[in-house]
Amino acid sequence: MAINKAKVAVGFIVSGVLMVFFGLVLTFVGPIIIDDQVVKNTVIDPKNSMSYTMWKDVPVPFFMSVYFFNVLNPQEVLRGEKPMVEQKGPFVYRKRIQKDNITFHDNGTVSYREYRRYYFEPTMSSGTEADVVTIPNMLVLGAAVMMEKLPYAVRLMISASFKTFKEGPFLSKTVGELMWGYDSGLVDFLNKWLPGMLPSTGKFGLFAEFNNSNTGLFTIFTGKDDIRKIHKVDSWNGLTELNYWKTPQCNMINGTAGQMWPPFMTRESTLPFYSPDACRSMELVYQRDGKLQGIPLYRYVAPKTLFANGTDYTPNQGFCPCRQSGLLNVSSCRHNSPVFISHPHFFNADPVLLDFVQGLNPTEEKHGLFIDIHPMTGVPLNVSIRLQLNLYMKTVSGITETGKISEVVMPMIWFEESGYIDGPILKTFHTNLVILPAVMEFMQYGFIALGVATIIIASLMHHKFKRAWTNVKMTSTGVDNPGASFNEWAKGGEEKKDKCDINNSDK
């Protein structure tokens, strides 16, 4: 009976060894299996239904929140006083994104055009599109700066044209008109006699060219041949580099199209992407770790050098002519209009900019941009891109509409494009990227722990059963006490020896 139990204990020891071995194999093979699945499911391929649908139609809800800087003292500004602004908003729009004209190429790339449409969301807004706000008139004050170096007589004619079409230095319009366009006799006149001067041929609005439009023809890598290149831009509108800026580095088209990034990111990775709206490539840097409903993420933010001028950050000299740090001059890609991009409320900009406008209060929480990335897949989980549109204004002799305006970079509007993964997609992500890896990790260490425990317990039991078997065997041969039996045997031997000695002496 004991021998059978000992054999069973040996069987358990063998099983424990196998469990430890299997756990160790899972420790090394498990991550390889997960990485292989990530690669297979992130490649841009219609066969990957979930990831392809996310890339093609972007089912995540995206919103654009718009804030206007309502000018409270326009007449005083014309007399040279400091502008006073009041933020109005948000006016929230749901953004619908869809890729079309999708064409796969033999070199591992895919081309497409991404169309965007905006729908006003009154329940999420602090006002309606009928609200009236007062902002600088870009057609007048922007054109004045653009015409500054023309002959004085020409500037007088331009000023007369403004008066003819009743265009003043400031305009009060509804949010809907300022966003999507309003009728203007001056716009009609310029489109007829100076075609191409304005960005649009219809109504003039700050976002008129964005709605029902596309961002250009992107060609990106699918990741089929090299997963490290997935989503990276190969060309935009047939270009592999831009021609807006003054240096090759500034004209480079780097990174992705700004929606997804290659998988297997580290904290040393950066987040480069090309933005057609900003007319340049940008790069975000790692800030900290975080979690979204249990899903691990890396938060990436804009470095302070993103909009720094060429004096403070030499690589940005190609984006000049520059003004203070924190401003990006986009006039070269915006019909030479004196327009600058910055962070909202001049966050991360030269503090002197705040001295020229009253009513601004920058904070990182409200005005800093960020992207939360799942590092294993390169998929954004939470996005908030915040940018501000500014107009450079000054007095221009001959154009009386500019009055005595002090030289100032005037904030007009800022917007936030935000979106986050939620609903069924978030649940799927949580299952595949949190629960399953956790289960696999539990199995790895569970098998190892269980195997070690089995080996230890079975070894102890085997030793116990072996001793019991040895005792039983000795009992069956009449030896209950091996030590005592040996003494008796030795004593009997001595008695026999004594008898032999007596017999020999008798003889």
Side-chain angles (χ1 to χ4, degrees), residues 36-339:
D36 183 63
Q37 289 301 309
V38 169
V39 171
K40 288 181 179 179
N41 289 302
T42 53
V43 170
I44 302 174
D45 189 337
K47 296 178 183 178
N48 298 335
S49 57
M50 177 183 168
S51 59
Y52 182 74
T53 300
M54 285 186 63
W55 171 79
K56 178 178 180 292
D57 296 326
V58 190
V60 175
F62 260 87
F63 299 94
M64 181 175 70
S65 302
V66 180
Y67 300 82
F68 284 88
F69 290 103
N70 183 49
V71 181
L72 300 176
N73 60 338
Q75 296 305 316
E76 289 78 2
V77 173
L78 291 174
R79 293 197 294 266
E81 296 183 20
K82 181 189 295 188
M84 296 175 57
V85 296
E86 174 190 39
Q87 179 176 290
K88 281 197 170 185
F91 301 94
V92 183
Y93 297 83
R94 178 181 292 271
K95 184 179 181 181
R96 169 67 173 158
I97 305 172
Q98 187 172 15
K99 293 178 177 65
D100 206 349
N101 305 115
I102 299 173
T103 305
F104 286 87
H105 306 291
D106 294 334
N107 64 346
T109 62
V110 58
S111 299
Y112 65 90
R113 290 185 183 272
E114 185 173 89
Y115 292 85
R116 50 193 176 182
R117 295 176 177 83
Y118 297 91
Y119 305 91
F120 185 63
E121 292 284 348
T123 58
M124 301 175 67
S125 303
S126 297
T128 71
E129 286 191 305
D131 290 0
V132 176
V133 295
T134 300
I135 63 172
N137 189 342
M138 288 184 65
L139 290 173
V140 174
L141 298 180
V145 175
M146 293 168 64
M147 309 296 179
E148 181 182 14
K149 295 183 180 180
L150 293 179
Y152 186 77
V154 175
R155 280 179 268 151
L156 288 174
M157 292 176 58
I158 293 171
S159 182
S161 299
F162 290 151
K163 292 179 176 61
T164 299
F165 292 104
K166 299 180 180 179
E167 293 284 354
F170 292 89
L171 72 164
S172 297
K173 297 285 184 182
T174 66
V175 169
E177 289 175 320
L178 293 173
M179 285 289 294
W180 312 118
Y182 57 90
D183 293 319
S184 169
L186 178 61
V187 171
D188 295 337
F189 175 81
L190 292 175
N191 284 331
K192 181 177 181 179
W193 299 105
L194 297 171
M197 180 178 178
L198 297 177
S200 61
T201 57
K203 296 181 177 182
F204 183 80
L206 296 175
F207 284 81
E209 60 179 307
F210 287 80
N211 204 13
N212 298 315
S213 66
N214 68 79
T215 55
L217 181 64
F218 273 96
T219 300
I220 65 173
F221 289 95
T222 63
K224 183 178 180 181
D225 298 327
D226 186 352
I227 196 63
R228 295 171 299 179
K229 300 173 75 174
I230 187 172
H231 300 299
K232 291 188 176 181
V233 178
D234 182 46
S235 67
W236 175 74
N237 283 341
L239 302 172
T240 56
E241 61 180 19
L242 305 171
N243 54 14
Y244 301 133
W245 314 109
K246 296 181 178 180
T247 63
Q249 181 179 355
C250 292
N251 277 318
M252 292 175 66
I253 298 177
N254 295 327
T256 72
Q259 292 180 346
M260 295 184 184
W261 281 264
F264 312 124
M265 302 180 69
T266 67
R267 294 174 181 84
E268 288 70 39
S269 302
T270 59
L271 226 60
F273 62 97
Y274 172 65
S275 170
D277 297 330
C279 309
R280 60 166 288 189
S281 297
M282 295 191 281
E283 189 172 50
L284 307 187
V285 295
Y286 169 85
Q287 184 190 53
R288 61 175 175 82
D289 284 25
K291 285 188 177 182
L292 177 66
Q293 297 194 24
I295 302 176
L297 58 85
Y298 291 166
R299 171 157 290 189
Y300 285 82
V301 298
K304 203 166 185 178
T305 56
L306 182 64
F307 295 144
N309 61 26
T311 302
D312 293 341
Y313 187 62
T314 304
N316 282 354
Q317 286 182 348
F319 296 121
C320 293
C322 299
R323 298 194 64 80
Q324 295 89 344
S325 276
L327 299 173
L328 173 66
N329 187 346
V330 293
S331 60
S332 59
C333 69
R334 294 298 178 203
H335 304 272
N336 291 318
S337 59
V339 175

Side-chain angles (χ1 to χ4, degrees), residues 77 83 323 356-357 391-394 405-411:
V77 173
R323 298 194 64 80
F356 296 113
V357 181
L391 181 67
Y392 173 57
M393 308 189 314
K394 61 183 295 187
I405 294 177
S406 299
E407 188 174 351
V408 62
V409 178
M410 183 72 178

